[in-house]
RNA sequence: GGUCGCGUGGCCGAGUGGCUAGGCACAGCUCUGCAAAAGCUGCUACUGCGGUUCGAAUCCGCACGCGACCUCCA
């Protein structure tokens, strides 16, 4: 767009805690890495929010002309369930519970994850690497770290030496932590006596007897540490330093902090130029989390079959609901908010239909009092909002300003030129579908074969009744249809119906 | 306990020190056989107390309330 130079894309870098102009390393290419799911259970709505945030980022970067290589991993090596069950990983535990091979668990929940992503119209990444597919790279990285003296081996396990690293580097810079405080606040360390410091973290864990997932390594049979895969895979596909790394707020510490340490220790470079963290989805003010048990799955959301849900909501309603909040703010889920979002989305999409339906001529003879509308200013405002740290709520607010103009043009109170209409069409098409990633939902369209035919019959009968001024009959038909969830509207252009 | 963040109208949520988003709900009007939709109009808020400033929701301090992270989590 015209003033991309004047208003470059600004992104909050959680490393500096400031909004910074986004300048990629090798324009027009952008390297983006996002931490993906651990595939040991169903994804819930909180997970969806995070992936949605980065989906909008990718869509926007591409919209303003960048070529994005988007890498989002699948964590398919289980990691420790908790202190008590040290030795058993989440995937192995699940495999035992469901009596499946660990890789069946991985495949099952990977498939489920992909289904959910499609449901919410979240674009697939360019590369979706798996931890188990990159053991060679991970082992190689451990060797580089050891060669540089930042890791040590104990009984077939390898640990990262955090105090050693902190002598020369800023461990804790991302999450704002200080080494002394971390040491002072460390919780129980039993079962971790192999570590020299409680802050040290595993790069490689020796597999105990009976452990299902393990691979050979220079240190014996074992499996990689949780933080390592992201470092190894981002380095492989995006280079030792790349543009943007994203993930949920809850991954900042220790996960992302460890990633920085691993990369610096292995290759001597800070891996990431811009760190980006999405905030949490909350329910009644508390974080939605697997461990809190307050999450619901997308299936439950759509069916409404969950005690927190008054009724079901469509995937696009949820998407729109989330986009009406800035990604860096917490967002609280509530039925009232969902219903408000649903109405708003309907109005927005309906206005887009009105816009598409305008004929070549001016939509409706504007009255002499019709006001003009600055379409250019609207387009610029949308662009500026997105460039301002992906401010989707402000961008959506602008689209609603446009809705008034579109509906006003139809009503004859706003004058739009053909050029205005063309600009608006392009703008709405781009913002609604390409950038916000909304899509028309099935079931609201009027041209669906049998349904459409049946409706034509009923509405034909109703029109006859109306012509005879038999309003009792015409209203009866409308009321009965309303009871079935179909709204009939008599507009100037004719009768329209839609499912609610 | 440590670190970080938040507290905006009936609800959800933006907000760069002055021009006081937007959505939903609500009320009135227009259109309409009625309804729906749409348009117009109305509804002016920033947890509390101090301070800085000509001027603060926005900056600073204190208090209260809430949350996140510190342990697997997006």
């Amino acid at each position: 767009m015209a003033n991309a130079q004047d208003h470059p894309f600004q992104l909050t870098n959680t490393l500096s805690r400031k909004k910074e102009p986004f300048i990629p390393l090798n324009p027009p290419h952008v390297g983006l890495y996002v931490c993906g799911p651990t595939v040991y259970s169903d994804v819930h709505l909180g997970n969806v929010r995070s992936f949605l945030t980065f989906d909008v980022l990718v869509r926007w970067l591409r919209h303003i002309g960048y070529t994005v290589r988007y890498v989002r991993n699948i964590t398919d090596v289980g990691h420790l369930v908790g202190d008590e069950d040290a030795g058993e990983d989440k995937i192995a535990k699940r495999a035992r519970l469901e009596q499946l091979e660990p890789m069946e668990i991985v495949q099952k929940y990977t498939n489920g994850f992909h289904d959910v992503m499609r449901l919410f119209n979240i674009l697939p990444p360019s590369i979706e690497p798996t931890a188990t597919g990159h053991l060679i790279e991970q082992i190689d990285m451990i060797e580089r770290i050891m060669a540089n003296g930042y890791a040590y081996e104990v009984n077939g396990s390898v640990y990262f030496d955090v105090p050693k690293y902190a002598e020369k580097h800023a461990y804790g810079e991302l999450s704002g932590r200080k080494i002394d405080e971390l040491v002072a606040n460390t919780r129980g360390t039993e079962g971790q006596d192999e570590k020299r410091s409680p802050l040290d973290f595993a790069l490689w864990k020796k597999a105990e007897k009976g452990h299902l997932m393990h691979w050979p390594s220079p240190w014996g049979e074992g499996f990689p540490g949780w933080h390592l895969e992201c470092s190894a895979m981002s380095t492989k596909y995006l280079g030792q330093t790349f543009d943007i790394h994203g993930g949920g707020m809850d991954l900042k510490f220790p996960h992302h902090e460890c990633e920085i340490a691993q990369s610096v220790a292995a290759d001597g470079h800070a891996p990431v130029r811009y760190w980006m963290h999405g905030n949490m989805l909350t329910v009644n003010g508390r974080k939605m989390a697997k461990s809190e048990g307050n999450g619901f799955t997308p299936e439950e959301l759509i069916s409404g079959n969950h005690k927190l849900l008054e009724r079901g909501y469509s995937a696009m309603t949820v998407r729109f609901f989330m986009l009406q909040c800035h990604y860096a703010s917490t967002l609280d889920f509530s039925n009232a908010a969902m219903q408000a979002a649903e109405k708003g989305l309907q109005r927005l999409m309906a206005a887009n239909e009105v816009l598409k339906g305008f004929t070549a001529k001016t939509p409706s003879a504007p009255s002499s009092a019709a006001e003009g509308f600055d379409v250019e200013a609207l387009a610029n405002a949308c662009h500026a909002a997105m460039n301002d740290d992906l401010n989707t709520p402000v961008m959506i607010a602008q689209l609603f300003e446009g809705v008034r103009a579109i509906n006003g043009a139809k009503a004859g109170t706003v004058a739009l030129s053909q050029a205005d209409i063309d600009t608006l069409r392009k703008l709405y098409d781009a913002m609604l579908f390409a950038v916000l990633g909304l899509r028309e939902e099935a079931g609201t369209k009027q041209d669906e074969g049998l349904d459409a035919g049946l409706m034509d019959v009923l509405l034909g009968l109703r029109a006859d009744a109306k012509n005879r001024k038999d309003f009792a009959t015409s209203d009866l038909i409308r009321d009965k249809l309303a009871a079935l969830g179909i709204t009939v509207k008599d507009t100037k252009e004719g009768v329209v119906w839609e499912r609610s």
Side-chain angles (χ1 to χ4, degrees):
Chain A
M1 286 233 173
N3 41 15
Q5 283 295 85
D6 306 333
H7 303 287
F9 179 39
Q10 301 262 335
L11 192 62
T12 295
N13 189 344
T14 36
L15 187 60
S16 65
R17 284 155 232 244
K18 286 196 208 109
K19 249 183 237 178
E20 299 176 5
F22 174 68
I23 300 156
L25 224 39
N26 303 302
H29 300 281
V30 172
L32 168 67
Y33 188 92
V34 172
C35 291
T38 304
V39 283
Y40 70 100
S41 66
D42 291 315
V43 291
H44 59 69
L45 213 58
N47 305 113
V48 171
R49 185 181 181 205
S50 183
F51 298 120
L52 172 62
T53 294
F54 300 107
D55 185 53
V56 172
L57 171 69
V58 169
R59 287 167 179 274
W60 184 246
L61 288 170
R62 287 180 179 153
H63 182 73
I64 58 179
Y66 290 115
T67 303
V68 183
R69 179 180 289 168
Y70 176 19
V71 181
R72 187 183 65 205
N73 67 298
I74 294 279
T75 298
D76 59 350
V77 177
H79 297 290
L80 303 186
V81 173
D83 291 344
E84 320 84 67
D85 356 15
E88 183 170 43
D89 74 44
K90 286 187 283 201
I91 290 170
K93 180 176 183 180
R94 195 75 188 198
R96 195 165 44 77
L97 290 173
E98 297 194 20
Q99 298 200 314
L100 293 171
E101 186 68 24
M103 272 300 159
E104 282 184 282
I105 294 292
V106 163
Q107 192 65 55
K108 175 179 170 182
Y109 291 109
T110 298
N111 291 346
F113 170 67
H114 288 154
D115 289 345
V116 170
M117 293 298 101
R118 265 193 297 278
L119 181 64
F120 288 97
N121 207 21
I122 291 169
L123 298 172
S126 327
I127 301 175
E128 190 168 59
T130 59
T132 57
H134 295 77
L135 285 151
I136 290 169
E137 288 81 355
Q138 294 182 72
I139 289 168
D140 193 60
M141 189 159 199
I142 295 171
E143 288 181 322
R144 297 204 298 281
I145 295 171
M146 290 181 92
N148 290 334
Y150 289 109
Y152 54 90
E153 184 196 346
V154 183
N155 295 330
S157 292
V158 181
Y159 296 97
F160 189 95
D161 192 336
V162 172
K164 173 87 184 289
Y165 175 82
E167 285 170 15
K168 287 187 185 162
H169 305 282
Y171 185 81
E173 60 175 339
L174 179 65
S175 54
R177 267 153 240 254
K178 298 190 175 69
I179 283 282
D180 322 345
E181 288 164 359
L182 283 170
V183 174
N185 289 315
T186 305
R187 299 191 183 178
T189 53
E190 49 287 21
Q192 304 187 350
D193 31 48
E194 286 180 348
K195 293 185 193 175
R196 292 181 192 164
S197 159
L199 300 183
D200 294 350
F201 56 90
L203 296 173
W204 188 264
K205 269 303 246 184
K206 178 185 181 177
E208 302 300 327
K209 278 205 179 67
H211 198 283
L212 292 171
M213 300 178 93
H214 55 89
W215 295 267
S217 80
W219 315 283
E221 289 285 312
F223 55 96
W226 174 44
H227 311 299
L228 191 62
E229 58 177 281
C230 290
S231 295
M233 297 189 293
S234 64
T235 301
K236 171 159 184 171
Y237 297 113
L238 298 171
Q240 292 182 358
T241 300
F242 58 96
D243 295 304
I244 308 175
H245 187 129
M249 209 74 122
D250 47 0
L251 296 181
K252 229 169 156 181
F253 188 91
H255 184 57
H256 291 157
E257 204 71 72
C258 295
E259 278 189 50
I260 294 174
Q262 287 166 343
S263 288
V264 172
D267 302 315
H269 303 290
V272 176
R273 288 155 50 81
Y274 300 85
W275 282 94
M276 189 175 158
H277 290 94
N279 217 321
M280 299 293 112
L281 180 70
T282 60
V283 180
N284 295 323
R286 321 210 98 229
K287 174 185 172 185
M288 183 182 283
K290 288 172 182 173
S291 52
E292 290 265 343
N294 62 352
F296 34 78
T297 65
E299 288 75 17
E300 289 166 332
L301 181 88
I302 286 161
S303 67
N305 186 22
H306 189 279
K307 62 177 188 288
L308 287 166
L309 299 165
E310 284 171 13
R311 60 176 174 81
Y313 306 99
S314 74
M316 285 305 108
T317 295
V318 175
R319 183 165 176 125
F320 185 68
F321 161 72
M322 290 180 175
L323 293 173
Q324 277 190 291
C325 172
H326 191 253
Y327 76 84
S329 301
T330 55
L331 171 63
D332 197 56
F333 180 92
S334 73
N335 283 279
M338 286 303 297
Q339 283 158 29
E342 187 176 74
K343 281 285 186 65
L345 176 61
Q346 275 168 11
R347 198 157 88 87
L348 198 51
M349 294 307 242
N352 187 55
E353 288 301 312
V354 168
L355 180 62
K356 283 200 290 193
F358 283 157
T359 54
K361 289 177 289 183
T362 308
S364 179
S367 72
S368 50
E371 291 171 35
F373 182 79
D374 192 341
V375 171
E376 271 314 304
L378 180 77
N380 287 338
C382 287
H383 202 263
M386 290 304 290
N387 264 344
D388 183 14
D389 201 20
L390 300 177
N391 200 330
T392 51
V394 167
M395 197 271 263
I396 290 170
Q398 295 303 324
L399 292 179
F400 275 110
E401 293 292 334
V403 165
R404 273 226 304 273
I406 292 165
N407 286 328
K410 191 184 174 197
T413 59
V414 174
L416 292 178
S417 69
Q418 187 55 48
D420 287 340
I421 292 170
D422 290 343
T423 305
L424 279 174
R425 279 185 180 145
K426 270 189 207 130
L427 180 70
Y428 276 68
D429 198 52
M431 294 299 146
L432 246 27
F433 304 110
V435 174
L436 293 179
L438 298 168
R439 70 175 163 219
E440 312 272 2
E441 299 199 284
T444 56
K445 288 245 168 112
Q446 298 195 19
D447 46 10
E448 287 177 63
L450 181 62
D451 286 357
L454 291 170
M455 286 303 295
D456 282 350
V457 171
L458 285 166
L459 293 177
L461 289 171
R462 178 166 173 272
D464 289 344
K466 276 181 70 175
N467 288 336
R468 281 182 272 110
K469 302 248 186 240
D470 178 5
F471 296 122
T473 302
S474 67
D475 287 354
L476 180 72
I477 292 171
R478 188 174 60 195
D479 293 346
K480 292 281 186 192
L481 286 172
L484 295 171
I486 292 170
T487 308
V488 176
K489 296 186 237 180
D490 296 320
T491 71
K492 281 176 187 149
E493 288 75 32
V495 182
V496 177
W497 63 273
E498 64 190 20
R499 287 197 181 85
S500 50

